[in-house]
């Protein structure tokens, strides 16, 4: 009973790992997969809507063991991403800028921990002044840099809090290799490195984290794309300002389907991921479950 009380206290005072879908950071692993390893080459404005639902089935400890009791919940989000490709070149790459505005609802019903909380609102906003895309006949590459702003409401006492309570600098590097000139078979990887700031109310600085989204994709004669996809996320440094050295990890695999309508400038992709391995960070607890995602892209 004492161990459960300690976990509950840690959960309430270090709510950041539960305040979003992200692995100890702002970015949601699994949100891009096959669509994130390149920047569209044609100049113009692109809008991508990500509809994401994370179904929490368990809560685990730093050893990856499931905590006792009925612990369930969900996080649903609509992330609105706007990308403008300028038509100009920098270092041989197409240059663009982007912003992401998420709207989120979190519901936690952790009976085993005595937590019952729900929150809704606009999440922390991302501003990316640098997006670079390189393109070859059988390859694509992307680099980006930007900042997640501390714009959303954050309450360290509420594990369902929408905001993270700190800003984050995010660096992106990714690429795709197409095995044939028709690009029927492709392998891609997209990595995000997050450098976090200090939470004003707790004076805790979450440790840097790194994640990789990967996919093996095949495009059928009909134009339908089928992919084996997944993500792996690691917290590389322990949180400063806490006595714990535990670092969060998340690993998942799943499938993705995608189809595009070139004449309409639209593309739709859907994916489902199952988290098969999770370890909690300094809070002592971390949700584990399944991720469902739809991404609609429209070119203007």
């Amino acid at each position: 009973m004492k161990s459960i009380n300690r976990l509950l206290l840690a959960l309430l005072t270090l709510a950041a790992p539960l305040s979003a879908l992200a692995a100890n950071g702002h970015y949601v692993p699994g949100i891009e997969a096959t669509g994130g390893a390149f920047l569209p080459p044609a100049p113009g404005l692109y809008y991508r809507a990500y509809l994401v639902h994370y179904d929490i089935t368990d809560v685990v400890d730093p050893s990856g063991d499931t905590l006792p009791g009925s612990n369930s919940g969900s996080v649903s989000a609509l992330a609105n991403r706007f990308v403008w490709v300028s038509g100009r070149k920098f270092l041989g790459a197409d240059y663009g800028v982007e912003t992401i505005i998420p709207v989120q609802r979190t519901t936690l019903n952790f009976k085993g921990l005595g937590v019952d909380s729900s929150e809704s609102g606009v999440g922390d906003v991302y501003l990316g002044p640098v997006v670079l895309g390189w393109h070859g006949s059988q390859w694509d590459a992307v680099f980006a840099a930007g900042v997640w702003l501390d714009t959303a409401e954050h309450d360290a006492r509420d594990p369902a809090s929408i905001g993270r309570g700190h800003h984050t600098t995010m660096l992106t590097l990714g690429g795709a290799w197409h095995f044939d000139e028709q690009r029927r078979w492709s392998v891609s990887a997209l990595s995000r490195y997050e450098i976090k700031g200090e939470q004003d109310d707790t004076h805790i600085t979450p440790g840097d984290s790194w994640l990789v989204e990967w996919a093996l994709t095949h495009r059928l004669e009909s134009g339908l794309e089928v992919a084996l996809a997944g993500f792996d996320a690691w917290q590389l440094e322990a949180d400063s300002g806490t006595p714990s050295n535990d670092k969060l990890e998340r690993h998942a695999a799943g499938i993705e389907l995608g189809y595009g309508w070139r004449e309409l400038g639209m593309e739709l992709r859907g994916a489902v991921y199952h988290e098969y391995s999770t370890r909690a960070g300094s809070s002592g607890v971390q949700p584990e479950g399944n991720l469902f995602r739809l991404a609609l892209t429209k070119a203007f």
Side-chain angles (χ1 to χ4, degrees), residues 158-176:
D158 185 359
S161 184
I162 299 301
R164 308 296 289 178
H166 60 81
H167 68 274
T168 295
T169 299
M170 186 170 73
L171 304 176
T172 298
L173 182 64

Side-chain angles (χ1 to χ4, degrees), residues 72-86:
S72 62
S74 65
V75 184
S76 299
L78 174 63
N80 302 279
R81 181 187 181 196
F82 299 88
V83 181
W84 177 62
V85 181
S86 67

Side-chain angles (χ1 to χ4, degrees), residues 285-297:
V285 293
Q286 175 66 23
E288 182 179 69
N290 302 304
L291 179 72
F292 306 88
R293 183 254 301 159
L294 284 175
L296 175 65
T297 303

Side-chain angles (χ1 to χ4, degrees), residues 89-109:
K89 296 285 187 178
F90 180 73
L91 299 178
D94 297 309
Y95 171 74
V97 298
E98 64 180 335
T99 186
I100 302 174
I101 305 172
V103 181
Q104 179 179 315
R105 176 168 178 80
T106 301
T107 301
L108 304 178
N109 187 15

Side-chain angles (χ1 to χ4, degrees), residues 126-130 144-148 168-171:
Y126 176 78
L127 298 179
V130 178
V147 177
W148 290 95
T168 295
T169 299
M170 186 170 73
L171 304 176

Side-chain angles (χ1 to χ4, degrees), residues 56 93 131 146 235 247:
I56 300 171
V131 184
Q235 182 182 353
K247 301 172 186 177

Side-chain angles (χ1 to χ4, degrees), residues 3-4 19-20 26 38 60-61 80 85 115 126 128 150 160 162 164 175 188 197-198 215 221 237 255 264 278 294-295:
S3 61
I4 294 297
S19 63
H26 276 89
F38 62 90
V60 301
D61 63 17
N80 302 279
V85 181
V115 174
Y126 176 78
D150 181 15
I162 299 301
R164 308 296 289 178
S188 62
E198 181 182 88
E221 291 287 348
E237 299 177 332
I255 59 172
L264 299 177
T278 305
L294 284 175

